[in-house]
C-alpha cells in the first residue's frame, strides 16, 4: 500500500529514517489502551497516533544517499547482534526544555545496556541511552502533572522478544505530515 506519492520528476534531496523495535501485539494493544486513557484525561497530544515502538535511531539523510548505500553494511552488522528479551517495568518521564514525556520504562539490565551499546557502534550517536516506549510526549507541565498523577501509581510489567529492527522511511517531512513506510528490516541473530 502506498501511503504517499512522489512526483516521478522531482529529485529527492533528503530522507528521514526511523529505526525501531516493534513490541509484540499484546504490548502494542496495551500501550494503545494507555494512550486512549491519557487522551480521555488531557485531550489529544502529539504522540497519540504513534504505534508503540522503541526507537533505536532517528537518522536524517540530507543527501538521500548515504543511508541507502550503507544498508548492506548495517544489515551485516546487525545480523551479528543477538536477539534479546525486553522487559518493561513501570513508567517514568523526561523533561526537556519545558516539555514532558511520559514513557513505559525498559528495564536496563546489563544485556540491554550491552545491546544498545552495540547498536550505537553500528548506527552512531543517536542511539538512545534510555530505551523506552513513549506514551505521551511534548506535554506542558500542567498536562504532564495531571497524567503523571495516574501513571506513577500504575503497575505495568510485560516482556517481549526483539529479533529485528524495522527501518521506516519517508521524504523529510515538514511538520511531520507524511507517514513513514516500512523500508526494510534488519534481522538480529537468533540464538534460541
Amino acid at each position: 500500500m502506498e501511503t504517499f506519492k512522489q512526483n516521478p520528476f522531482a529529485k529527492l534531496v533528503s530522507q528521514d529514517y526511523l529505526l525501531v523495535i516493534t513490541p509484540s501485539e499484546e504490548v502494542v494493544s496495551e500501550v494503545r489502551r494507555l494512550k486512549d486513557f491519557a487522551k480521555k484525561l488531557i485531550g489529544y497530544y502529539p504522540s497519540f497516533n504513534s504505534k508503540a515502538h522503541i526507537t533505536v535511531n532517528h537518522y536524517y539523510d540530507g543527501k538521500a544517499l548515504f543511508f541507502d548505500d550503507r544498508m548492506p553494511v548495517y544489515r551485516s552488522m546487525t545480523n551479528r547482534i543477538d536477539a534479546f528479551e525486553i522487559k518493561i517495568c513501570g513508567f517514568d518521564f523526561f523533561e526537556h526544555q519545558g516539555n514532558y514525556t511520559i514513557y513505559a520504562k525498559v528495564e536496563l539490565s546489563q544485556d540491554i545496556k550491552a545491546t544498545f551499546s552495540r547498536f550505537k557502534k553500528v548506527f552512531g550517536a543517536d542511539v538512545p541511552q534510555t530505551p523506552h516506549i513513549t506514551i505521551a510526549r511534548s506535554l506542558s507541565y500542567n498536562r504532564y502533572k495531571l497524567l503523571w498523577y495516574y501513571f506513577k501509581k500504575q503497575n505495568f510489567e510485560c516482556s517481549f522478544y526483539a529479533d529485528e529492527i524495522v527501518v521506516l522511511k519517508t521524504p523529510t517531512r515538514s511538520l511531520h505530515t507524511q507517514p513513514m513506510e516500512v523500508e526494510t528490516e534488519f534481522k538480529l541473530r537468533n540464538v534460541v
Side-chain angles (χ1 to χ4, degrees):
M1 180 172 103
E2 189 174 52
T3 56
F4 64 85
K5 292 183 179 181
Q6 182 179 329
N7 178 340
F9 303 108
K11 183 177 181 188
L12 194 57
V13 294
S14 60
Q15 294 283 334
D16 266 340
Y17 295 87
L18 188 62
L19 285 66
V20 301
I21 295 169
T22 303
S24 66
E25 282 305 314
E26 295 82 14
V27 175
V28 169
S29 294
E30 183 60 19
V31 169
R32 170 59 28 213
R33 186 189 69 74
L34 293 165
K35 286 177 174 246
D36 288 340
F37 172 76
K39 185 179 175 194
K40 286 178 185 173
L41 287 176
I42 65 168
Y44 181 82
Y45 52 90
S47 59
F48 175 72
N49 290 321
S50 176
K51 182 178 177 183
H53 66 275
I54 296 172
T55 299
V56 173
N57 198 351
H58 184 192
Y59 184 84
Y60 167 74
D61 189 351
K63 298 193 187 309
L65 297 171
F66 182 76
F67 193 89
D68 284 343
D69 290 346
R70 296 272 308 159
M71 264 200 241
V73 174
Y74 292 148
R75 186 177 311 284
S76 172
M77 293 174 82
T78 55
N79 282 330
R80 296 182 206 145
I81 298 172
D82 293 342
F84 59 104
E85 183 179 24
I86 295 177
K87 293 181 182 178
I88 304 295
C89 54
F91 300 97
D92 208 341
F93 66 92
F94 296 120
E95 188 271 329
H96 181 69
Q97 297 179 348
N99 287 312
Y100 293 81
T101 297
I102 295 175
Y103 61 89
K105 259 191 331 189
V106 170
E107 185 178 286
L108 292 177
S109 67
Q110 289 303 319
D111 287 341
I112 293 288
K113 289 177 185 178
T115 300
F116 273 77
S117 178
R118 287 184 202 108
F119 289 157
K120 193 171 201 160
K121 288 177 184 173
V122 173
F123 299 115
D126 288 337
V127 173
Q129 292 182 6
T130 307
H132 62 279
I133 299 174
T134 299
I135 303 298
R137 70 171 167 79
S138 300
L139 301 174
S140 68
Y141 177 73
N142 288 337
R143 293 173 94 196
Y144 149 75
K145 189 174 169 184
L146 179 59
L147 275 184
W148 187 241
Y149 176 79
Y150 291 98
F151 277 93
K152 71 180 180 182
K153 298 176 185 179
Q154 296 218 12
N155 183 21
F156 180 48
E157 292 186 9
C158 59
S159 64
F160 59 94
Y161 193 68
D163 61 356
E164 71 181 7
I165 296 171
V166 177
V167 179
L168 303 171
K169 175 181 170 181
T170 188
T172 297
R173 305 170 292 165
S174 65
L175 303 177
H176 303 284
T177 57
Q178 290 184 301
M180 299 192 98
E181 291 185 331
V182 174
E183 174 72 7
T184 190
E185 294 90 19
F186 298 145
K187 297 290 184 188
L188 302 176
R189 181 171 52 198
N190 195 343
V191 291
V192 180

